[in-house]
Amino acid sequence: MPTPDTTRRLSPQIISQDIDSLHGLQTISTYNTSRADASVDNLQQAYQAMVMQQQVETEKLALYRAAADAARLAEWEFHNAVLAMKEVVRGQYGSDSDQAQAVGLKKKSDRKRPNRKKPMAVAS
């Protein structure tokens, strides 16, 4: 039997079937095995560990989402502050100043003017 790939998550369907199997086993009063990994106690411990780790994952995922939202909002606040600063520099020093260029704005005199296209001759 090939080694299972434990780096991928099991589908919720498989986990649900496994839980149903555990609940079904609990109805069998005569179940007894010499395999330690298949014992009722081991199954209960593995189930409890899974539930606990899923809860930890859910809590950390909620914290991650909250942190990601906070970081996104902070990024937007910083961006808006930089845009406001650029407007102030442009207003205070002018669009063609070295100060405007220092904050990342293009000097007005450095902008390329659009070329006028000559009208096409109409053939008669």
Side-chain angles (χ1 to χ4, degrees):
M1 185 171 160
T3 306
D5 181 11
T6 58
T7 60
R8 66 174 179 82
R9 298 292 296 258
L10 291 171
S11 70
Q13 180 184 6
I14 290 174
I15 293 175
S16 178
Q17 289 171 350
D18 290 346
I19 292 170
D20 289 344
S21 295
L22 175 62
H23 293 315
L25 176 65
Q26 292 171 343
T27 65
I28 303 173
S29 61
T30 58
Y31 178 78
N32 193 7
T33 183
S34 59
R35 287 185 58 176
D37 61 335
S39 70
V40 175
D41 289 338
N42 187 54
L43 287 164
Q44 283 293 341
Q45 288 175 351
Y47 174 70
Q48 291 301 322
M50 178 191 71
V51 169
M52 186 178 72
Q53 290 301 319
Q54 286 175 335
Q55 180 179 351
V56 168
E57 178 190 26
T58 301
E59 291 168 357
K60 288 185 178 184
L61 190 57
L63 291 173
Y64 164 77
R65 287 180 181 148
D69 285 347
R72 179 182 43 81
L73 289 174
E75 289 166 357
W76 273 103
E77 287 178 14
F78 173 69
H79 177 67
N80 288 334
V82 168
L83 291 178
M85 174 269 301
K86 286 181 178 182
E87 285 181 28
V88 169
V89 168
R90 190 180 301 129
Q92 191 171 356
Y93 298 102
S95 297
D96 203 30
S97 67
D98 291 335
Q99 292 86 349
Q101 188 176 20
V103 297
L105 297 171
K106 194 169 190 176
K107 282 186 171 184
K108 192 173 187 179
S109 60
D110 290 343
R111 291 195 182 119
K112 188 176 179 182
R113 293 197 171 157
N115 292 333
R116 290 182 115 180
K117 293 188 179 191
K118 294 180 182 178
M120 294 180 69
V122 178
S124 34

